[in-house]
Amino acid sequence: MSPAELKVAIDTVWVLLAAFLVFWMNAGFGLVEAGLCRKKNAVMVLSKNFVVFAVATLAYWAIGFGLMFSDGGFVGTSGGWFLSGADNSPAMGDAYQGIFSALNWTGVPLISKFFFQLVFAGTAATIVSGSVNERTKYSTFIVFSLVLVGVMYPITGHWIWGGGFLAKMGFFDFAGSTVVHSVGGWAALAGAIVIGPRLGRYRKGKVTPVPGHQMGYVFLGGLILWLGWFGFNPGSTMAADAEAIGRIALATNLAAASGILVATFYAWIRLGKPDFSLTVNGCLAGLVAITAPCAFSARWLPS
């Protein structure tokens, strides 16, 4: 095996390992959402978080990847069905510049790149599940996830990661604060507005807390998500760049730790006592916030 082939093999293993970590985040989202809902609805919440990746896989494989990463301005129009057509997906890091380009190496194989992008698309759909917790039909959520991952997510993703108009304007999002989490968040907000609040959430114009039934789920789910983010952010190097991976992982962890403490002390001051659900959500807020700039804000860290 030549040095170039070895490099491609190592990078492919790294990309797939990172993708497996992101895939495992489905368990984290499921546990957090199930723990924060009422006991009678826990099975439905877990079911939605389990089936959503199956829906995402077929939708993104059939049409989503082509719309997101083929040639076009507003949306990829040269891509075909089932991973055919032009591929403008990320260029696998700086390691594939220079001599690798001269040798016509394409880097990590397309099917491995597809799997890495697929778990990101699945995450966008999973985010929606929490916002419509306890008040959406199983069939409705499946159809919505199919549309989101097959059409909506790829279009907005193309604008930034597929060489679309935002990318041409200089928009940067290294690992998906906007492409993944903002898109999922806006879709979640739209769903919440249409469906409305949970029954019993507002009484006589005042907010009424709806306590989660199992905070142990929330604890484990939060830790799984924290772990999965070490695939989400460092994995977006799309190459086994030892220095970059370490920097991005540390920046990611610092953001999570900061989010935890800020949320914990805010709740302590505001409510008079810590609130564990806010502590976990503070961790997630820190992780989401660092996802876009993790490769750039990490530059101040020591080599």
Side-chain angles (χ1 to χ4, degrees):
M1 181 180 290
S2 69
E5 291 174 314
L6 179 61
K7 174 62 176 171
V8 172
I10 293 173
D11 289 346
T12 301
V13 170
W14 164 244
V15 168
L16 288 175
L17 176 61
F20 299 154
L21 284 172
V22 178
F23 165 78
W24 184 232
M25 290 170 69
N26 283 279
F29 280 115
L31 287 171
V32 168
E33 294 170 19
L36 290 175
C37 77
R38 285 167 282 205
K39 185 177 180 179
K40 64 180 181 178
N41 295 312
V43 173
M44 175 61 74
V45 172
L46 292 171
S47 298
K48 290 191 297 180
N49 279 277
F50 197 89
V51 76
V52 70
F53 190 72
V55 174
T57 296
L58 296 179
Y60 201 63
W61 174 59
I63 185 173
F65 188 86
L67 290 176
M68 188 165 175
F69 290 117
S70 64
D71 292 330
F74 185 81
V75 63
T77 54
S78 65
W81 296 81
F82 310 113
L83 301 185
S84 62
D87 172 25
N88 294 323
S89 52
M92 308 308 109
D94 294 337
Y96 291 102
Q97 304 301 318
I99 187 171
F100 274 51
S101 298
L103 292 173
N104 199 31
W105 280 96
T106 57
V108 175
L110 174 63
I111 52 175
S112 298
K113 292 193 293 182
F114 164 76
F115 189 78
F116 185 77
Q117 294 297 333
L118 164 64
V119 293
F120 277 47
T123 299
T126 305
I127 291 169
V128 180
S129 174
S131 75
V132 295
N133 216 348
E134 301 188 299
R135 56 199 190 282
T136 184
K137 292 183 179 179
Y138 196 51
S139 57
T140 302
F141 180 73
I142 289 175
V143 172
F144 179 80
S145 299
L146 186 68
V147 175
L148 176 66
V149 179
V151 181
M152 297 165 63
Y153 171 82
I155 291 176
T156 53
H158 177 79
W159 298 346
I160 302 168
W161 285 350
F165 74 96
L166 286 179
K168 290 181 172 63
M169 293 171 64
F171 190 99
F172 288 98
D173 184 350
F174 183 76
S177 287
T178 297
V179 176
V180 180
H181 300 290
S182 180
V183 169
W186 285 113
L189 177 62
I193 291 173
V194 171
I195 295 173
R198 287 190 282 180
L199 293 177
R201 179 61 171 166
Y202 295 97
R203 294 177 181 174
K204 297 180 179 179
K206 295 183 179 181
V207 177
T208 302
V210 182
H213 86 283
Q214 179 51 269
M215 299 310 291
Y217 287 1
V218 180
F219 169 82
L220 181 57
L223 284 177
I224 289 174
L225 290 170
W226 195 346
L227 172 64
W229 239 281
F230 293 124
F232 217 104
N233 289 0
S236 293
T237 58
M238 303 292 276
D241 183 332
E243 195 275 338
I245 290 170
R247 280 176 174 267
I248 293 169
L250 181 53
T252 299
N253 200 59
L254 287 171
S258 300
I260 287 171
L261 294 179
V262 169
T264 297
F265 288 116
Y266 171 80
W268 209 331
I269 293 170
R270 183 71 181 270
L271 305 176
K273 61 180 179 179
D275 185 307
F276 182 58
S277 65
L278 290 180
T279 295
V280 174
N281 279 310
C283 176
L284 300 183
L287 290 167
V288 170
I290 197 62
T291 297
C294 59
F296 317 116
S297 59
R299 298 184 188 279
W300 58 270
L301 295 172
S303 300

